[in-house]
């Protein structure tokens, strides 16, 4: 007996857990009440054998399997290659929700039938081991790079249960074995244990959401560097920037259509952070007697202020919000324009106009995964960063595109005196990464990035649409010249507003629910706002999603209770305490409420009713 079934959108672990549950139930329905289980997911085998912690994403399936385990006391792992029939059936093209059950070998699809017959006559399946591939290269012509690639592959092969990663420069055990660095709510040597009651980090803007893309493209994006790689200060032509990389950046902008680079100068920086100040320095040089006023429209990226304040320059000074200077007759403004804006994702224009106002366009997020690209930006000074484009924040690479030669020369001078250019290793890595981005005219990476962000926005919007307590920014869809379609923006951050008086310290409200965001006052606005990062890794996002669901569930429960309270005698506060207890009950059913496909509105509502009945 065999089957194939489409389990909808699910991670491979969820799909395997659901397939196992389906298979076990099928056996029981057909009268088989004792059987062995072999599975090609090592992690699920460990979970069912109680040697590993169960992640919440498959909690519900695992609970049901545990209830049935007496029927299959032996559960073992086997390699996918030894599970060919199941593997082929898993790849069968079946329609959503459609189940195919095969009761005879002759009914199997052709490929699966072949694998089944080979299995029956005992033909061995071949599994090629990565270690073997490397070993066989011992005999090839690879010279100095062999050892380095062996080291890199050995570290990369550590799976860390999918909740962490090991790095070449990470900690090692005594025997030199690399250690997993776990995602924030996971722990253990192999990162398989979920930390109970963990606080979600939605503060940091680390763009780890793109990591799966780079894992899929590990071969094409890897670089190998000999010990003698570019040891000198300058490139052959005496400059500090790679001409190949400069060409690649121009090609990238032409391909994406997000910035004009023809006839413009390009300067590289250690992340855009360094270029922001280089730009202020270069533009302020024209200032007359009084320091140039550096301004931005609130809410604004806080580094503009903190960095400008830090330098305490006689040439420039941070002077707050643009709106305070609207009708001013002052001279010499340098305005930071961030588009799309951090934190609220809006496409922005300069506020202050005229000869005395210069602009620095910070276009860190002007890429198709975050926004529609209505047209190429054509501004005097534009700054971009690798960190938000490819996710490689740690490489510290940014670039500025500059129209005016004198401004360009002042920025080059700043870079010369500040760091004498950007690390040559970083430039090499960036060159390689951008080559991958440009493959297929940029469609692969940007589609991946956009789909990942769109998925997150859909989840978030659905959760918050049920709330009157929290709202998010409204963004208008626009025609995107890169994708040739009208797209709703999918910005890096959710800009949450707490709507109720009792939640006016929104950061504190969310912290109490174990969500750490960045408070509104950091961006120059009031504390009813909080920024939540949506670009973190999958684990962080899923936990954030869960915590927000709990908050909204709690809110709905309070409202329901208010409706059910006879004579309205129960105050909101006492309702709230009861609601918190009730929510704790549902928190124990972690997977029940976070697995969206499984937790339908009806089942939630009936759970609310049950909870209410037990409470009264
Ligand atoms: C608007 C904006 N500009 C600049 C930066 C700095 O980026 P990096 O220094 O990584 O290039 C950030 C980082 O979060 C940002 O949000």
């Amino acid at each position: 007996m065999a089957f194939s079934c489409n389990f909808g959108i699910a991670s491979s672990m969820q799909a395997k857990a659901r397939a196992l549950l389906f298979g076990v139930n099928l056996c029981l329905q057909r009268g088989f009440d004792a059987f062995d289980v072999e599975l090609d997911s090592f992690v699920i085998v460990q979970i069912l054998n109680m040697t590993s912690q169960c992640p919440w994403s498959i909690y519900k399936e695992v609970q049901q399997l545990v209830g049935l385990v007496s029927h299959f006391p032996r559960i073992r792992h086997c390699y996918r290659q030894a599970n060919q029939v199941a593997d082929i059936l898993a790849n069968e093209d079946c329609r959503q929700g459609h189940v195919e059950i095969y009761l005879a070998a002759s009914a199997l699809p052709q490929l699966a039938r072949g694998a089944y017959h080979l299995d029956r006559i005992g033909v061995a399946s071949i599994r090629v081991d990565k270690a073997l591939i490397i070993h066989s290269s011992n005999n090839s012509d690879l010279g100095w790079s062999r050892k380095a690639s062996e080291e890199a592959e050995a570290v990369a092969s550590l799976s860390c249960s999918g909740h962490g990663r090991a790095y070449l420069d990470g900690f090692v055990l005594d025997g030199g074995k690399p250690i997993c660095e776990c995602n924030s709510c996971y722990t253990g040597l192999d990162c398989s244990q979920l930390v109970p009651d963990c606080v979600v980090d939605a503060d940091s803007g680390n763009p780890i959401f793109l990591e799966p893309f780079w894992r899929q493209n590990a071969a094409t994006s890897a670089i190998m560097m000999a010990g003698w790689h570019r040891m000198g200060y300058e490139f052959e032509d005496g400059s500090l920037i790679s001409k190949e990389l400069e060409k690649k950046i121009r090609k990238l902008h032409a391909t994406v259509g997000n910035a004009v680079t023809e006839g413009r100068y390009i300067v590289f920086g250690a992340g855009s952070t360094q270029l922001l100040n280089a730009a202020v320095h270069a533009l302020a040089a024209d200032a007359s007697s009084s320091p140039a006023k550096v301004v931005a429209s609130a809410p604004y990226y806080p580094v503009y202020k903190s960095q400008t304040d830090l330098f305490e320059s006689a040439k420039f000074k941070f002077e707050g919000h643009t709106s305070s200077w609207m009708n001013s007759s002052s001279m010499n403004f340098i305005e930071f324009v961030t588009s799309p804006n951090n934190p609220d994702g809006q496409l922005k224009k300069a506020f202050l106009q005229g000869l005395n106002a210069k602009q620095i366009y910070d276009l860190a997020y002007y890429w198709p995964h975050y926004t529609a690209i209505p047209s190429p930006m054509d501004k005097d000074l534009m700054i971009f960063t690798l960190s938000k484009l490819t996710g490689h924040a740690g490489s510290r690479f940014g670039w500025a595109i500059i129209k005016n030669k004198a401004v360009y020369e002042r920025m080059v001078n700043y870079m010369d005196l500040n760091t004498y250019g950007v690390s040559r290793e970083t430039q090499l890595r960036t060159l390689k990464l951008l080559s991958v981005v440009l493959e297929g005219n940029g469609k692969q990476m940007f589609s991946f990035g956009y789909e990942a962000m769109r998925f997150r926005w859909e989840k978030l919007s659905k959760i918050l649409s049920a709330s009157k307590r929290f709202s998010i920014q409204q963004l208008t869809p626009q025609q995107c010249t890169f994708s040739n379609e009208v797209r709703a923006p999918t910005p890096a951050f959710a800009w949450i507003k707490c709507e109720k008086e009792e939640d006016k310290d929104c950061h504190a409200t969310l912290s109490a629910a174990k969500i750490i965001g960045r408070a509104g006052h950091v961006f120059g606005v009031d504390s009813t706002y909080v920024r939540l990062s949506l670009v973190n890794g999958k684990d962080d996002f899923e936990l954030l999603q869960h915590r927000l669901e709990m908050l909204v569930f709690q809110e709905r429960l309070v409202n329901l209770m208010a409706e059910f309270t006879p004579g309205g005698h129960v105050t909101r506060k006492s309702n709230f305490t009861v609601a918190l207890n009730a929510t704790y009950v549902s928190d124990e059913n972690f997977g029940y409420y976070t697995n969206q496909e499984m937790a339908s509105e009806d089942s939630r509502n009936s759970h609310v009713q049950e909870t209410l009945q037990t409470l009264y």
Side-chain angles (χ1 to χ4, degrees):
M1 185 170 63
F3 67 90
S4 61
C5 178
N6 185 327
F7 293 105
I9 298 170
S11 66
S12 91
M13 192 158 57
Q14 281 169 327
K16 283 184 185 183
R18 287 176 201 171
L20 175 59
L21 184 59
F22 186 92
V24 166
N25 281 324
L26 193 62
C27 286
L28 294 173
Q29 275 164 19
R30 303 259 160 186
F32 302 102
D33 64 355
F35 41 87
D36 284 351
V37 165
E38 281 192 0
L39 195 68
D40 60 20
S41 165
F42 187 57
V43 179
I44 297 180
V45 171
Q46 280 189 315
I47 293 169
L48 290 173
N49 285 332
M50 310 286 176
T51 51
S52 208
Q53 197 96 358
C54 176
W56 67 263
S57 57
I58 56 165
Y59 184 85
K60 182 173 175 275
E61 289 81 1
V62 168
Q63 286 294 89
Q64 293 183 41
L65 284 164
V66 168
L68 299 171
V69 88
S70 58
H71 297 284
F72 56 98
R74 273 200 321 169
I75 168 151
R76 284 179 308 204
H77 173 247
C78 67
Y79 287 112
R80 191 167 49 87
Q81 291 80 358
N83 205 8
Q84 293 256 347
V85 180
D87 194 41
I88 293 167
L89 288 178
N91 292 323
E92 261 297 286
D93 183 23
C94 45
R95 279 166 285 127
Q96 179 82 25
H98 185 75
V99 181
E100 207 69 66
I101 295 175
Y102 310 97
L103 297 173
S106 56
L108 288 169
Q110 199 181 10
L111 259 182
R113 214 179 319 143
Y116 169 79
H117 287 304
L118 290 177
D119 228 4
R120 284 214 63 171
I121 56 173
V123 175
S125 304
I126 296 170
R127 177 172 188 269
V128 183
D129 207 299
K130 275 187 203 157
L132 259 176
I133 301 172
I134 292 168
H135 191 67
S136 65
S137 70
N138 273 341
N139 301 327
S140 77
D141 291 340
L142 278 186
W144 60 267
S145 64
R146 199 185 66 229
K147 192 163 179 307
S149 67
E150 273 175 1
E151 269 175 20
E153 290 269 1
V155 171
S157 68
L158 279 187
S159 79
C160 304
S161 311
H163 301 298
R165 54 202 70 68
Y167 293 108
L168 271 176
D169 59 354
F171 285 116
V172 287
L173 291 175
D174 282 348
K177 201 171 170 300
I179 292 182
C180 289
E181 293 177 24
C182 302
N183 296 343
S184 51
C185 286
Y186 285 84
T187 184
L189 264 187
D190 64 350
C191 303
S192 60
Q193 292 160 32
L194 184 64
V195 178
D197 268 353
C198 182
V199 172
V200 195
D201 172 16
D203 178 28
S204 128
N206 255 339
I208 307 294
F209 79 107
L210 287 166
E211 190 189 59
F213 174 83
W214 295 108
R215 283 188 180 273
Q216 283 163 20
N217 290 277
T220 45
S221 59
I223 49 167
M224 179 71 72
M225 240 182 297
W228 43 264
H229 172 80
R230 291 211 182 275
M231 293 173 64
Y233 278 118
E234 298 90 10
F235 283 88
E236 288 298 283
D237 61 359
S239 86
L240 303 178
I241 74 169
S242 150
K243 287 285 169 292
E244 276 310 303
L245 179 53
E246 186 184 334
K247 266 198 258 167
K248 197 67 90 194
I249 288 173
R250 290 182 193 275
K251 184 163 178 212
L252 177 67
H253 286 298
T255 307
V256 175
N258 64 343
V260 172
T261 63
E262 290 87 28
R264 310 296 160 92
Y265 304 94
I266 293 190
V267 179
F268 295 171
S272 58
T273 301
Q274 190 184 25
L275 291 165
L276 297 176
N277 192 249
V280 172
H281 159 84
L283 295 180
D286 284 344
S288 50
S289 49
S290 57
K293 294 181 175 57
V294 180
V295 290
S297 295
Y300 56 78
Y301 178 52
V303 170
Y304 304 145
K305 174 177 178 351
S306 47
Q307 198 183 57
T308 311
D309 286 349
L310 175 81
F311 286 92
E312 285 186 9
S313 168
K315 295 267 183 191
F316 51 81
K317 193 166 185 300
F318 194 81
E319 293 283 5
H321 301 190
T322 41
S323 52
S324 347
W325 298 100
M326 189 139 101
N327 298 319
S328 152
S329 56
S330 289
M331 308 281 277
N332 292 321
F333 288 103
I334 298 174
E335 178 179 353
F336 276 108
V337 185
T338 320
S339 187
N341 192 29
N342 174 1
D344 62 11
Q346 305 290 349
L347 287 176
K348 295 280 218 127
K349 291 203 166 77
F351 202 77
L352 303 173
Q353 308 290 343
L355 282 178
N356 292 321
K358 296 177 187 130
Q359 292 87 28
I360 299 170
Y361 274 83
D362 182 344
L363 303 178
Y365 302 94
Y366 197 52
W367 295 106
H369 19 261
Y370 307 113
T371 175
I373 308 289
S375 60
M377 285 282 191
D378 185 10
K379 305 292 177 188
D380 288 358
L381 208 170
M382 304 180 278
I383 296 181
F384 289 89
T385 167
L386 187 73
S387 59
K388 312 300 170 185
L389 163 63
T390 66
H392 294 83
S395 294
R396 310 305 305 129
F397 185 79
W399 62 98
I401 303 172
I402 307 146
K403 203 182 263 179
N404 181 293
K405 187 158 187 245
V407 174
Y408 160 72
E409 282 168 353
R410 286 198 286 265
M411 284 184 75
V412 169
N413 186 43
Y414 179 103
M415 297 306 301
D416 283 0
L417 295 174
N418 192 287
T419 48
Y420 205 55
V422 174
S423 143
R424 310 303 173 259
E425 288 84 337
T426 286
Q427 296 194 40
L428 177 65
R429 188 178 195 198
T430 307
L431 181 67
K432 190 73 183 209
L433 295 170
L434 296 192
S435 307
V436 178
V437 172
L438 277 165
E439 271 169 24
N441 271 339
K443 293 285 184 261
Q444 280 170 36
M445 193 199 73
F446 290 117
S447 301
F448 181 96
Y450 172 67
E451 286 305 327
M453 292 305 295
R454 191 167 68 99
F455 175 81
R456 292 179 180 201
W457 271 96
E458 271 174 20
K459 295 274 177 208
L460 185 79
S461 311
K462 188 162 177 231
I463 297 169
L464 293 182
S465 65
S467 172
K468 293 204 162 30
R469 192 177 170 199
F470 307 102
S471 64
I472 32 174
Q473 72 264 49
Q474 295 302 311
L475 297 156
T476 328
Q478 294 216 39
Q479 176 68 28
C480 175
T481 50
F482 176 71
S483 63
N484 236 338
E485 61 183 1
V486 174
R487 270 190 179 179
T490 46
F493 306 105
W495 187 231
I496 303 275
K497 183 166 170 41
C498 283
E499 299 286 352
K500 307 260 176 205
E501 177 58 25
E502 60 267 34
D503 294 325
K504 62 176 186 282
D505 183 350
C506 195
H507 185 263
T509 299
L510 292 176
S511 298
K514 299 201 170 65
I515 299 171
I516 301 296
R518 198 165 290 181
H521 68 81
V522 176
F523 302 91
V525 295
D526 67 66
S527 60
T528 56
Y529 287 94
V530 166
R531 187 193 83 172
L532 297 181
S533 171
L534 300 183
V535 290
N536 290 336
K538 184 168 172 285
D539 282 341
D540 281 329
F541 178 74
E542 285 179 350
L543 201 52
L544 172 67
Q545 192 187 327
H546 166 69
R547 295 258 190 270
L548 288 172
E549 277 183 322
M550 297 311 295
L551 263 177
V552 176
F553 173 74
Q554 200 178 75
E555 175 192 343
R556 292 173 72 189
L557 198 57
V558 169
N559 292 341
L560 260 175
M561 290 177 79
E563 266 177 45
F564 282 88
T565 307
H569 292 313
V570 182
T571 63
R572 181 174 164 79
K573 192 155 185 267
S574 56
N575 264 341
F576 203 73
T577 319
V578 184
L580 273 173
N581 292 338
T583 309
Y584 178 68
V585 174
S586 67
D587 202 13
E588 287 184 332
N589 293 330
F590 200 3
Y592 184 87
Y593 285 106
T594 51
N595 194 332
Q596 298 242 315
E597 292 88 10
M598 293 292 168
S600 67
E601 274 303 290
D602 284 352
S603 61
R604 271 173 207 240
N605 288 341
S606 67
H607 192 78
V608 172
Q609 300 290 348
E610 275 166 32
T611 313
L612 285 169
Q613 273 160 21
T614 32
L615 288 172
Y616 280 96

